[in-house]
Amino acid sequence: MKEEQKYEEALTVDPNFVPALRQNVTIYKKINPAAAETYLEKIAAITPDDYTIKKDLGDIRYDLSDYTNAVKYYKDYFEIVPKDSVDQVSAQNYVNSIFSMLQFDDLSVQAGKFQEIFPNDITFKRQSFFADVFKYDFDKAAESVKYLTEEKFKDYTYLDYNVATTYFSQVGDLEKAIKYGQMAYESDTTKVEELARVAKSMGQNGQYDEAIATYQKYFSLLKEAPEAFNLYDYGRVCLTASKAEGITPERQAEIIALGDKAFRDALAKDATMYQATYFRARLHMTDRKVAQEAPKDAYLELLEL
């Protein structure tokens, strides 16, 4: 006899037999969530003070990616459950649901609370850091990011590196922005946009050749034409690189050609991006002592926009 059949038969004898109802919740929670919720409603009618019902409803809604209702049920559960009885997995689901709803103030509170109960759980440290970054509380983030920078755990994810890249970019730590951007891409090579962020940081950090090569790799991996802002940023890197001290005339000409195409493509993609024409003119100004046609032509184009 299948286990679910055994408990169904027990319920024919006593429809209010809570242990059988509970077993059916466990059985159906993953394979038939609607049935599990029906059993939980029956249990709630029989034992209305059972706060674990809210936990189970939260778990079901979380598994269904219904984060709004997951948060609602979890909130009720965690307001009642004794601290020493908190379910760790449900706590993880709760903060992950809050993050998915972009409720960063509440995320900061809840992740901080659960860190006190589960100090060695990466989920709560991770979500505390995420909350600090997306609340732009960079002073707190400087401390909370240590869960990652001090390599206290082994199970880091793409999102850990992605948010760290955002944080270090925001605070101007370009070396770390590059490092974690590369780690983000290496952890999930489908996220090719990380290469654009790495390339931009490399350009800002004066690593022009690496930036140009990384942009080119990024563009080669795209399935569609690059966005105008990425082409524009690429052009800006080429502009700065073309003026670098000690650059050879041959390399300068090569970079100017790359930058010229980038600015033209950006403007073709977004006709309102007039700055592309302005910087294209500057790109071609290789000798201020000599009249040059290319910058003049670009400035004339700018006046026509």
Side-chain angles (χ1 to χ4, degrees), residues 244-259:
E245 185 177 349
I247 189 171
T248 65
E250 294 78 14
R251 180 58 175 161
Q252 183 182 55
E254 181 183 350
I255 291 175
I256 287 173
L258 293 172

Side-chain angles (χ1 to χ4, degrees), residues 44-65:
I46 301 166
T47 57
D49 294 333
D50 184 353
Y51 54 77
T52 64
I53 294 169
K54 298 292 187 181
K55 179 195 79 68
D56 289 328
L57 288 168
D59 290 343
I60 291 169
R61 288 290 113 191
Y62 178 79
D63 288 340
L64 293 171
S65 300

Side-chain angles (χ1 to χ4, degrees), residues 115-301:
Q115 271 196 84
E116 295 178 2
I117 303 173
F118 307 109
N120 297 317
D121 189 319
I122 188 175
T123 299
F124 308 117
K125 294 184 183 297
R126 167 188 292 137
Q127 293 291 4
S128 288
F129 173 59
F130 291 178
D132 293 339
V133 172
F134 293 115
K135 288 173 62 182
Y136 301 100
D137 191 342
F138 297 140
D139 288 339
K140 284 186 66 179
E143 184 63 29
S144 59
V145 74
K146 290 179 180 178
Y147 86 98
L148 176 63
T149 58
E150 294 182 357
E151 301 181 358
K152 296 180 178 180
F153 300 92
K154 294 181 179 179
D155 49 343
Y156 296 113
T157 67
Y158 161 76
L159 207 53
D160 291 306
Y161 303 130
N162 170 272
V163 178
T165 303
T166 297
Y167 165 65
F168 287 118
S169 296
Q170 290 281 354
V171 300
D173 190 334
L174 297 173
E175 293 287 348
K176 285 191 174 68
I178 293 166
K179 172 184 175 180
Y180 288 106
Q182 290 172 327
M183 294 176 77
Y185 175 68
E186 289 166 5
S187 70
D188 185 350
T189 55
T190 68
K191 307 292 188 182
V192 295
E193 62 274 12
E194 294 298 335
L195 291 174
R197 296 213 295 168
V198 169
K200 185 172 183 178
S201 293
M202 285 175 167
Q204 293 170 334
N205 203 40
Q207 299 169 237
Y208 303 127
D209 287 339
E210 295 97 323
I212 290 170
T214 304
Y215 268 121
Q216 290 173 338
K217 179 178 179 179
Y218 166 63
F219 295 143
S220 73
L221 292 171
L222 290 176
K223 296 179 180 178
E224 299 177 353
E227 293 295 332
F229 71 90
N230 281 324
L231 290 163
Y232 174 78
D233 288 342
Y234 176 44
R236 289 292 303 270
V237 170
C238 290
L239 168 62
T240 308
S242 72
K243 313 298 183 187
E245 185 177 349
I247 189 171
T248 65
E250 294 78 14
R251 180 58 175 161
Q252 183 182 55
E254 181 183 350
I255 291 175
I256 287 173
L258 293 172
D260 184 271
K261 184 178 187 306
F263 285 133
R264 287 182 184 275
D265 289 348
L267 191 61
K269 186 83 172 178
D270 182 355
T272 67
M273 192 172 280
Y274 64 87
Q275 305 99 318
T277 301
Y278 167 72
F279 285 113
R280 189 167 68 82
R282 288 186 56 188
L283 180 71
H284 287 283
M285 293 175 61
T286 57
D287 189 344
R288 293 180 180 272
K289 297 177 182 179
V290 179
Q292 296 175 298
E293 289 299 317
K296 176 183 174 182
D297 292 342
Y299 278 123
L300 290 174
E301 288 179 25

Side-chain angles (χ1 to χ4, degrees), residues 95 106-116 124 127-128:
V95 296
D106 191 29
L107 179 62
S108 181
V109 172
Q110 300 304 329
K113 179 176 73 175
F114 291 127
Q115 271 196 84
E116 295 178 2
F124 308 117
Q127 293 291 4
S128 288

